[in-house]
């Protein structure tokens, strides 16, 4: 079983890339392992609504690189034993450390598992604008990637593309950098991602960069320890909300971007809107709303810091009244 990690910071476009890759390579037997922050299952639903039916395993309560590492490795072995897919794609949370996750998989020392060169999705709309926020996590995911996909870059000028190339090459000199519309790439590009084998390293190091990645996770280890000097992100999830008109949701998302409910770089979910269902997706100050298939219940998730859950609930309660 080959294991391909597709990492990227909050809202970079990991799920969309995975959906496109699996729809492109219909002859490849894929299984997806989805590690979400909070209780939202929106990405699982997106992965299951494509050209093909995908087996998707989900872990929401813990991060695969620290507090949930043991559970993740157990799930990985279960997937191998029960399904033995050709390729397992692992999508960690946007706040996971790529180096630690890679070291955990390699530390299994199991010949039936081959770790492929990892891919990191970099959001062109936020990389420079917000590079100092959560910077350690962003840069760590870039430095340990073998392939960097600059998402949302299809409309950039050549001078802007050159600026990104320079910045990303300085951070990860050996990485392959892909810009423009990745959906226009030939099938062969995606197939090559599944053929290149990584050279297995000593478990005390991680990746081709040779940086130290071995962490001792004793009884007192927490998610915050894994992220070192950074505070872990917080989440708020609401499942009992609705809006009578899209304007109420648009107003809510506008308030999110203005910081009315905390520092929120990422929000996503689905909920009833009048007699229909809608899905929304927010990254920093950009958001979109689209139609969605009816669900058993709503799911609105905010991810960030200093979140004001009371203010969020009050907004939906007030518009309901």
């Amino acid at each position: 079983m080959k294991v391909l990690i597709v990492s990227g910071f909050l809202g970079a476009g990991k799920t969309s890339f995975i959906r496109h890759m699996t729809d492109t390579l219909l002859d490849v037997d894929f299984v997806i392992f989805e590690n979400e922050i909070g209780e939202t299952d929106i990405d699982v639903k997106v992965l299951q609504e494509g050209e093909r039916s995908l087996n998707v395993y989900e872990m929401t309560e813990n991060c695969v690189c620290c507090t949930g590492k043991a559970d993740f490795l157990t799930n990985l072995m279960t997937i191998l034993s029960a399904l033995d897919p050709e390729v397992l794609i692992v999508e960690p949370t946007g706040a996971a450390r790529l180096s630690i996750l890679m070291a955990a998989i390699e530390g299994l020392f199991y010949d039936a598992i081959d770790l492929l060169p990892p891919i990191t999705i970099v959001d062109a709309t936020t990389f420079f604008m917000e590079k100092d926020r959560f910077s350690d996590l962003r840069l760590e995911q870039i430095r340990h990637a073998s392939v960097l996909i600059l998402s949302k870059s299809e409309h950039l000028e050549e001078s802007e593309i050159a600026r990104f190339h320079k910045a990303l090459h300085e951070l990860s000199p050996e990485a392959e950098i892909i810009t423009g519309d990745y959906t226009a790439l030939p099938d062969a590009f995606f197939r090559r991602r599944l053929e290149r084998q990584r050279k297995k390293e000593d478990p005390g190091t991680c990746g081709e960069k040779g940086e130290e990645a071995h962490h001792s996770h004793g009884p007192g280890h927490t998610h915050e320890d894994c992220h070192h000097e950074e505070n872990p992100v917080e989440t708020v999830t609401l499942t009992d909300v609705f809006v009578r008109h899209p304007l109420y949701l648009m107003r809510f998302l506008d308030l999110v971007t203005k910081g009315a409910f905390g520092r929120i770089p990422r929000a996503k979910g689905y909920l009833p809107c009048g007699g229909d269902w809608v899905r929304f997706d927010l990254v920093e100050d950009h958001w979109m709303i689209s139609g969605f298939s009816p669900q058993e219940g709503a799911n609105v998730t905010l991810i960030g810091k200093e979140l004001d859950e009371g203010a969020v609930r009050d907004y939906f309660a007030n518009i309901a009244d």
Side-chain angles (χ1 to χ4, degrees):
M1 182 176 72
K2 298 176 182 178
V3 179
L4 175 64
I5 303 173
V6 178
S7 70
F9 199 63
L10 301 169
K14 301 185 293 296
T15 303
S16 295
F17 176 83
I18 292 171
R19 180 72 267 183
H20 179 75
M21 184 176 191
T22 55
D23 283 348
T24 300
L25 304 179
L26 294 174
D27 61 320
V28 177
D29 178 22
F30 287 104
V31 170
I32 315 298
F33 188 96
E34 181 79 19
N35 183 207
E36 276 282 11
I37 296 177
E39 301 172 8
T40 182
D41 60 353
I42 180 68
D43 289 345
V44 172
K45 295 184 182 298
V46 170
L47 287 169
Q48 292 173 334
E49 290 188 348
E51 294 293 325
R52 63 193 295 187
S53 177
L54 290 169
N55 282 314
V56 183
Y57 282 68
E58 184 182 22
M59 189 166 79
T60 60
E61 292 304 316
N62 296 301
C63 173
V64 293
C65 76
C66 52
T67 56
K69 185 171 70 172
D71 288 340
F72 164 68
L73 294 177
T74 299
N75 276 292
L76 186 141
M77 296 301 293
T78 299
I79 293 170
L80 174 63
S81 175
L83 300 175
D84 192 17
E86 184 177 349
V87 179
L88 173 66
I89 298 180
V90 177
E91 181 184 350
T93 74
R97 288 194 177 277
L98 177 56
S99 60
I100 298 177
L101 180 55
M102 292 165 63
I105 296 172
E106 291 182 325
L108 288 171
F109 295 108
Y110 192 38
D111 290 339
I113 296 176
D114 292 319
L115 182 60
L116 293 166
I119 296 173
T120 291
I121 312 299
V122 181
D123 189 339
T125 65
T126 63
F127 177 70
F128 285 115
M129 180 179 66
E130 298 289 346
K131 65 180 180 179
D132 294 329
R133 291 179 60 188
F134 306 96
S135 60
D136 185 54
L137 287 175
R138 288 177 187 253
L139 301 186
E140 200 269 355
Q141 292 173 354
I142 292 171
R143 289 186 175 119
H144 288 278
S146 295
V147 181
L148 299 173
I149 306 287
L150 188 64
S151 65
K152 312 169 192 175
S153 63
E154 52 267 36
H155 302 301
L156 295 180
E157 300 289 339
E158 289 188 10
S159 59
E160 295 175 298
I161 292 290
R163 183 184 177 211
F164 275 105
H165 261 283
K166 181 176 184 295
L168 294 175
H169 181 72
E170 289 174 352
L171 291 169
S172 187
E174 298 177 8
E176 179 182 2
I177 301 172
I178 305 298
T179 59
D181 183 5
Y182 65 75
T183 65
L185 293 171
D187 295 5
F189 168 81
F190 298 95
R191 206 169 295 280
R192 284 198 302 273
R193 307 285 74 83
L194 309 181
E195 295 171 352
R196 293 169 49 201
Q197 299 295 314
R198 296 183 65 252
K199 178 182 177 183
K200 290 194 175 183
E201 305 287 342
D202 179 89
T205 63
C206 187
E208 293 130 336
K209 313 279 190 300
E211 296 182 34
E212 183 66 26
H214 182 70
H215 285 239
S216 174
H217 287 183
H221 177 75
T222 67
H223 194 76
E224 183 171 359
D225 297 330
C226 182
H227 296 162
H228 301 290
E229 73 280 2
E230 300 188 57
N231 293 322
V233 293
E234 306 166 14
T235 64
V236 167
T237 298
L238 283 68
T239 59
D240 55 352
V241 294
F242 68 93
V243 291
R244 291 192 174 90
H245 192 279
L247 286 174
Y248 291 111
L249 181 57
M250 294 167 67
R251 174 58 177 161
F252 172 72
L253 296 175
D254 186 54
L255 288 171
V256 171
T257 64
K258 289 179 167 57
F261 308 113
R263 297 170 54 195
I264 302 172
R266 185 76 170 107
K268 54 186 174 179
Y270 48 85
L271 69 165
C273 176
D276 299 312
W277 281 76
V278 294
R279 169 192 169 196
F280 69 90
D281 204 298
L282 177 147
V283 180
E284 299 293 353
D285 59 350
H286 303 282
W287 49 264
M288 61 168 286
I289 300 174
S290 59
F292 202 58
S293 57
Q295 304 295 316
E296 293 183 0
N299 192 310
V300 172
T301 295
L302 310 178
I303 306 171
K305 295 183 178 181
E306 303 168 9
L307 303 187
D308 189 344
E309 181 174 352
V312 177
R313 293 190 177 277
D314 285 346
Y315 177 85
F316 284 100
N318 290 335
I319 63 172
D321 294 336

